[in-house]
């Protein structure tokens, strides 16, 4: 392994865009698949994923998520996934992670969504001395306004560890306008928000981008497809962007990273963070995502250090900024970096 790669592994890292169930280890996913039919479906989806255009890749990806959802059936499953995800981030020297998940109930409501959230928060707590992790609750694009409101209530109930609200799910479903009242309420109670934006190359998606930028969430995820005007607005408003190289490359159908919008925003000194999105399903790690960016856009070690330092300013739990910055400073002093 070369020196730069090792540096990317050892530098203390901050992960701000990781869907909990998307972080599932492939081996765990396979174990949870109960029937041979499901296993065959998984293999076919896995094989076919790299094929086709943005829309068909997205469809493949969301079918895999629906398969995954059907085989996670109890709180032990979610505890296991949380535990393994945190172990994987720790082994990659991630010091602060914001995981996001859509709360769900099990057994026709006998096990409530609040128990799902508590199971995750308890597991996170067990790891507090090894990794500082916080939770963002996701609202799915297909949910009703009432369901989204329930998620907001859960966020309020667990406010100490729940640090924000996310909008995600199948981007073919354009629902920001319908769900906006919940996001307005989040703003009123000072709950941070992050919204997936510009995931598809279609006109409806571009139209929705305007509504999302008008709302001005605390952070934006991806922003793969956008108009020049939207790009300028996000630059001007300085809305931090969560970029996920492997995920973006696959959904944008790009042949290599050199065409990724990291370049444009980085050159403009825009607030940025590099993240994994779905490390389990995408077979990636945060250090390798960062390494690819550093290698492609020829960042020096110093520039990467400064990049990670600026990322710490956009974490939702503002009480932990100093913690992240101290870890980074200690790292640079130990290595006698600069
Ligand atoms: P969960 O919320 O912990 O169950 O994480 C999995 C969910 O995250 C999926 O069912 C999707 O709704 C959402 N998700 C993961 N990746 C993406 C993405 O790239 N775009 C939009 N939604 C996503
Ligand atoms: Zn995402």
């Amino acid at each position: 392994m070369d020196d730069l790669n090792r540096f990317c592994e050892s530098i203390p890292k901050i992960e701000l865009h990781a869907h909990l169930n998307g972080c599932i280890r492939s081996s765990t996913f396979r174990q949870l698949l109960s029937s041979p039919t499901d296993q065959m479906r998984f293999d076919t989806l896995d094989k076919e994923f790299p094929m086709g255009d943005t829309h068909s890749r997205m469809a493949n990806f969301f079918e895999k998520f629906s398969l995954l959802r059907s085989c996670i059936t109890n709180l032990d499953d979610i505890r296991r996934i949380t535990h393994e995800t945190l172990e994987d981030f720790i082994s990659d020297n991630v010091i602060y992670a914001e995981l996001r998940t859509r709360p769900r109930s099990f057994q026709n409501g006998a096990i409530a969504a609040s128990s799902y959230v508590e199971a995750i928060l308890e597991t996170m707590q067990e790891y507090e001395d090894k990794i500082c992790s916080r939770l963002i609750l996701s609202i799915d694009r297909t949910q009703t306004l009432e369901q989204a409101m329930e998620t907001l209530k859960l966020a309020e109930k667990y406010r100490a560890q729940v640090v924000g609200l996310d909008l995600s799910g199948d981007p073919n479903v354009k629902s920001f306008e319908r769900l906006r009242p919940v996001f307005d309420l989040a703003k009123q109670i000072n709950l941070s928000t992050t919204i997936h934006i510009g995931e598809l190359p279609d006109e409806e998606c571009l139209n929705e981008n305007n509504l999302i930028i008008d709302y001005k969430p605390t952070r934006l995820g991806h922003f793969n497809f956008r108009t020049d005007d939207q790009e300028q607005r996000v630059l001007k408003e300085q809305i931090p962007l969560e970029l996920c190289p492997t995920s973006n490359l696959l959904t944008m159908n790009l042949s290599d990273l050199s065409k990724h919008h990291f370049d444009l925003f980085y050159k403009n000194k825009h607030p940025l963070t590099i993240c994994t999105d779905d490390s389990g399903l995408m077979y990636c790690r945060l250090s390798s995502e960062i390494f690819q960016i550093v290698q492609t856009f020829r960042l020096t070690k110093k520039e990467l250090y400064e990049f990670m330092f600026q990322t710490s300013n956009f974490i939702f739990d503002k009480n932990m900024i100093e913690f992240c910055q101290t870890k980074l400073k200690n790292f640079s002093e130990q290595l006698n970096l600069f």
Side-chain angles (χ1 to χ4, degrees), residues 8 11-15 274 286 290 302-313 324-325 328:
C8 294
I11 190 169
K13 285 174 283 292
I14 295 164
E15 168 65 78
I274 299 171
L286 185 55
I290 290 171
K302 185 166 187 281
E303 283 166 339
L304 173 58
Y305 174 82
E306 282 161 358
F307 180 86
M308 203 55 78
F309 209 87
Q310 60 92 40
T311 288
S312 66
N313 292 313
C324 294
Q325 296 189 344
L328 278 160

Side-chain angles (χ1 to χ4, degrees), residues 17-23 58 61-62 65-66 68-69 72 78 100-104 116 120 138 140-141 166-171 196 199 222 247 251 277-278 282:
H17 187 138
H19 298 268
L20 180 59
N21 287 307
C23 295
M58 276 284 183
F61 200 50
F62 280 94
F65 272 124
S66 134
L68 175 61
R69 202 173 157 79
I72 297 172
I78 199 65
R100 58 186 76 187
T101 197
R102 167 186 170 185
R104 62 178 295 193
Y116 175 92
I120 297 168
S138 298
D140 190 273
R141 286 177 168 275
D166 157 65
L167 180 67
S168 52
D170 186 348
H196 284 63
E199 289 183 276
H222 305 321
S247 164
T251 49
D277 209 10
D278 298 289
M282 298 282 180

Side-chain angles (χ1 to χ4, degrees), residues 132-145:
C132 174
S133 54
R134 298 290 180 263
L135 196 61
I136 294 172
L137 297 187
S138 298
I139 292 171
D140 190 273
R141 286 177 168 275
T142 56
Q143 287 186 295
T144 63
L145 190 59

